[in-house]
Amino acid sequence: MNNSHVRRATNEDQKIARRQAILDGARQLFVEADYFDVSMAIIAKRSGLAKGTVYLYFKTKEEIFLSLSTEELENWLSAFETRLREQVRPLENTEFVDILRDTFMGRHLMQRLVSLLHLVLEKNITYEEAFAFKLNLKTRMNRLSKLVEQVLPFLAEGQGFSLLSMLHCLVVGSGQMSDPSPVLKQVLEHPEMEPFRVDLEKDIFDTFSFLLEGMKSVSENQSC
Amino acid sequence: MNNSHVRRATNEDQKIARRQAILDGARQLFVEADYFDVSMAIIAKRSGLAKGTVYLYFKTKEEIFLSLSTEELENWLSAFETRLREQVRPLENTEFVDILRDTFMGRHLMQRLVSLLHLVLEKNITYEEAFAFKLNLKTRMNRLSKLVEQVLPFLAEGQGFSLLSMLHCLVVGSGQMSDPSPVLKQVLEHPEMEPFRVDLEKDIFDTFSFLLEGMKSVSENQSC
Amino acid sequence: MNNSHVRRATNEDQKIARRQAILDGARQLFVEADYFDVSMAIIAKRSGLAKGTVYLYFKTKEEIFLSLSTEELENWLSAFETRLREQVRPLENTEFVDILRDTFMGRHLMQRLVSLLHLVLEKNITYEEAFAFKLNLKTRMNRLSKLVEQVLPFLAEGQGFSLLSMLHCLVVGSGQMSDPSPVLKQVLEHPEMEPFRVDLEKDIFDTFSFLLEGMKSVSENQSC
Amino acid sequence: MNNSHVRRATNEDQKIARRQAILDGARQLFVEADYFDVSMAIIAKRSGLAKGTVYLYFKTKEEIFLSLSTEELENWLSAFETRLREQVRPLENTEFVDILRDTFMGRHLMQRLVSLLHLVLEKNITYEEAFAFKLNLKTRMNRLSKLVEQVLPFLAEGQGFSLLSMLHCLVVGSGQMSDPSPVLKQVLEHPEMEPFRVDLEKDIFDTFSFLLEGMKSVSENQSC
DNA sequence: TATGAATGAGAGTTCATTCAT
DNA sequence: TATGAATGAACTCTCATTCAT
């Protein structure tokens, strides 16, 4: 496949680029197949490196997928945060959900990775890695929570974080269903299966809209 | 040593009992360990059979866990249905959620299995198995939806099914987080991780309450 | 190599035979090559089994070589014990050494395995395995020590065991030198290397003879 | 970060010093761990050089350990030779052994390296290296043999060399046993294992004493 | 001379599944 | 029907060595 020798990553930038190349290879493969079918061997092959080289950049397969998840998650968090920062005034629930929907567009991979996180963090991960991941996530979520509480004034303090947690939960839950295996896809094409065929991305946002509406409604009733 | 073969299951009842023994063995083991640590070898040992015998009753490991999931799911669906049928009048949202919470009590295993379903249905399952599972689920959910729509009159037709889907989604999402790996458990004990340490069972029902409140509120506004 | 399926080892005898076949395969290979070149893969191939099958009989590569060592060691111990039991009267040192030499004949493999023991017991061995090996060795050596003390009356109580330990030490030490690698063999053929080319089997027995002579001489002087 | 390259060794002295630094690093590490756990990577790190640089000074890992062995062996040979040269008159066996014991003190590393030699010389060593090592050893041993024959007059010509060979053999044999792996150490702590727990350094010298005594006794009887 | 990124063969091991008995 | 020995592909990961820089 590649007779030509791989150009060596000599400086820090090149090393970062190489690391990125591995992540990108893994990402591609994960788009095409499921987690278990993405072996270290094919990640190496895809990124044009030897197996051992991949291990220079990532200690384990889990570390690759944790990094990938972090990357995709941060990407989305940034996009969402940016969109929220553009808002100077309180938002209607529908406006909020529209923004959310926008930022979710084309982030199917992120959804799948987030659904996978549990599995990945279950095995072969050190305390330090898990801790770093979670801490980073907390920091990002805290910042975002503040913003959310600003644009949705009916939220009490702390409810921003809760809302994001619920969202996370919804993403995981719907993420599992939104990428069926080939066999399942076939099953869902059967006319009898129509009720299960609903667009699950749509479902997340419908659910989330109701959720917001409910929180708002409860908050208004409490203030009476 | 080899003389102690298990008495053969000759009639249908005995075969059903044996099948059940395997499922019960697998269930026990899954309570103690995670999916990947429950091997066919120990399922066989636990149910007092030989490895080959297990394969007479289940074609694959996935089939066992699919059956187990069906069983647990049906159990819960029945319990919930029974409780709803006892109600002759419309319920308050809080009453509905209380019933839901009641039926969830002690069904931690079901939650974990439902979270696993995606993984299990992804691999090594035939069209027929997947179809049968889904069809059965649809039938049960349809029946339940009707009931739900009866006790929650603000729901439009079809919203009962949606509500159950959302619930499913919440269960999956929170199910993943509610059984962390040993390492993750340790991480969560750190003071910094307090925000992630919320009781996730509680969260499901809080979220679900808001959801219901939102649906009700929307429905009321529409009818004006 | 073997299209024909392997006949299954159904009863205990056949299983013992299969275990033996694996050991024999490993033994053959160890005769032809050194420890590190004898991989589990070729042991399996040589004994006409799949790699996984070998692992049904031995948990690790180390267990194979520990078993092999035990086997060879016991073989020699038995042979030596038998020869000593035939003696009804005290032996001259030279007679004793002659018997020893006889029983060592053709046991080159045993010498190499004993030299390897340290390496094998160093890694990947459980406490239980190591303990069982050592305990067995102790029992055998104790019994043999008694005999040795009988046929060599100048030995004080306990000196039989010491003598066997010294012998063990000599066997290990000379065992290392007696199977040079191909390169070393070539080096030793050089005329300059003549002093190193001495027959090391001979050396063991010369050394051992002096040792016995020394012990006898010391014992006689003490009794004066 | 990459600027902190090590200052280049331009003249011969510096190169010798660098070579020595590598050997010293390896020595330190070998004291702390066993041969297989001492990787080229950590030798490089310990000696403050890059992996590639180590290979400028030593072609293989084996060459490092062969050099180390040579160094330690020569050290001891020198010490022993010096001590013997101080003697103007024939020595009693016990005096000889006392000197031997003195020079062995604190040379545990040498013992372990000598025990390793077989392994190291077995693999990955060129004819030239092996030859050079052996030739050097022969020269040193020849010189020492002469001395030994002088201080122990009962030795016939050539027996000095034999005696040293026997000593070598004893050192190797006992060297293996004197540094048990952690597991083996634990096993030996068991009360049942008492007989194997003898102090092996003591054993070498006891054995060697008997050996000398035997040689002396035989020589005296022959001269009658 | 010095670097350290890249190599890649090969290691031991696991386990769902098959099939001769 | 029941067994469990046999399978073998697949797995992750290591490390002495090379060589472009």
Side-chain angles (χ1 to χ4, degrees), chain C residues 182-202:
Chain C
V183 161
L184 209 53
K185 207 171 279 173
Q186 214 184 327
V187 168
L188 291 175
E189 278 162 15
H190 193 280
E192 285 270 32
M193 295 301 155
E194 195 273 326
F196 292 123
R197 219 159 41 217
V198 290
D199 175 2
L200 276 153
E201 283 220 357
K202 181 175 169 300

Side-chain angles (χ1 to χ4, degrees), chain D residues 174-198:
Chain D
S174 69
Q176 288 219 348
M177 301 162 205
S178 65
D179 74 319
S181 65
V183 162
L184 210 51
K185 207 171 277 173
Q186 213 184 328
V187 168
L188 291 175
E189 278 162 14
H190 192 281
E192 285 271 31
M193 296 300 155
E194 195 273 324
F196 292 123
R197 221 160 41 217
V198 291

